[in-house]
């Protein structure tokens, strides 16, 4: 079983954490499972939705995949040395992804090493202030590290995880089912194309 930690901080964006975890969890029978992973027993979203974490932050050390969501308190997260110290990640053995302002966390952890990222419009100036190049693309990956920009690009992070762990057929099954009626093929092809383009760009 491949375990995915969907890191979810206080002030989180629901679209980031819930879309990625919901899509990935449709692969449970194939050996891929996601867990909302939080620094405290419960966190509250940017819109006031309180969620109980499924795993504590320390779960990131044993997870095969770690996805870091964004939120309105990203600046507080990266400024909190104690919290950052709990994010012990290893790209040599883990797939690590970040959504929107989650790129700030990757930069704070020193995981980018000159890698450009995808992020959202509001986070862009803050990411660039960390001397990180921001691309005008919804998804970008180098090796075991990936970033996505724009809330709905969370489906691309999930697509990347499913492709890397289970293969493209899993993506076709999952996205083909959840896509709007009449748009299954278009939705699957767009996601696979975005992920492929984001990875091809660095070869």
């Amino acid at each position: 079983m491949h375990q995915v930690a969907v890191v979810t901080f206080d002030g989180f964006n629901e679209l980031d954490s819930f879309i990625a975890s919901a899509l990935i969890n449709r692969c449970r029978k194939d050996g891929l499972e996601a867990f909302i992973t939080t620094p405290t027993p419960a966190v509250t979203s940017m819109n006031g939705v309180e969620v109980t974490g499924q795993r504590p932050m320390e779960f990131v050390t044993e997870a095969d995949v770690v996805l870091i969501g964004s939120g309105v308190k990203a600046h507080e997260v990266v400024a909190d040395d104690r919290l950052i110290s709990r994010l012990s990640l290893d790209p040599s053995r883990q797939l690590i992804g970040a959504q929107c302002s989650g790129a700030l966390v990757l930069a704070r952890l020193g995981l980018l090493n000159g890698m450009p990222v995808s992020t959202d419009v509001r986070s862009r100036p803050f990411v660039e202030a960390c001397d990180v190049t921001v691309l005008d693309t919804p998804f970008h990956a180098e090796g075991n590290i990936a970033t996505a920009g724009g809330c709905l690009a969370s489906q691309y992070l999930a697509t990347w995880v499913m492709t890397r762990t289970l293969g493209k057929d899993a993506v076709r099954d999952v996205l083909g089912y959840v896509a709007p009626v009449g748009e299954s093929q278009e939705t699957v092809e767009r996601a696979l194309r975005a992920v492929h383009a984001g990875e091809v760009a660095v070869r």
Side-chain angles (χ1 to χ4, degrees), residues 19-197:
I19 290 177
S21 61
L23 292 176
I24 289 169
N25 276 329
R26 288 182 176 273
C27 298
R28 281 197 189 100
K29 61 179 174 45
D30 298 315
L32 182 64
E33 188 170 14
F35 301 91
I36 299 297
T37 302
T38 57
T40 53
V43 292
T44 303
S45 78
M46 59 191 293
N47 292 307
V49 179
E50 186 173 87
V51 173
T52 300
Q54 296 173 291
R55 294 289 186 276
M57 190 63 72
E58 287 67 28
F59 175 64
V60 300
T61 62
E62 61 184 89
D64 305 289
V65 182
V66 178
L67 299 181
I68 300 172
S70 70
V72 295
K73 296 185 178 181
H75 297 291
E76 296 176 30
V77 170
V78 296
D80 188 333
D81 291 339
R82 174 177 286 184
L83 179 54
I84 288 295
S85 70
R86 297 171 68 186
L87 285 168
S88 181
L89 308 183
D90 183 359
S92 70
R93 65 174 183 81
Q94 295 174 306
L95 296 180
I96 301 169
Q99 178 76 34
C100 296
S101 62
L104 290 170
V105 177
L106 296 188
R108 176 70 170 78
L109 291 171
L111 294 175
L112 295 176
N113 297 316
M115 171 183 164
V117 303
S118 296
T119 191
D120 66 287
V121 174
R122 291 187 178 180
S123 298
R124 180 169 189 153
F126 302 105
V127 174
E128 290 178 332
C130 298
D131 293 324
V132 176
T133 299
V134 175
L135 303 172
D136 291 316
T137 57
F139 177 84
H140 183 75
E142 295 188 17
N144 287 344
I145 297 179
T147 55
C151 300
L152 295 181
S154 52
Q155 65 182 301
Y156 299 154
L157 270 183
T159 294
W160 178 68
V161 171
M162 289 186 283
T163 301
R164 289 289 302 269
T165 56
L166 300 177
K168 293 180 180 179
D169 284 344
V171 176
R172 295 187 180 97
D173 289 343
V174 171
L175 292 189
Y177 180 80
V178 303
V181 172
E183 297 181 3
S184 293
Q185 183 174 349
E186 175 188 345
T187 300
V188 171
E189 289 179 352
R190 181 174 61 249
L192 289 174
R193 184 168 59 247
V195 170
H196 179 67

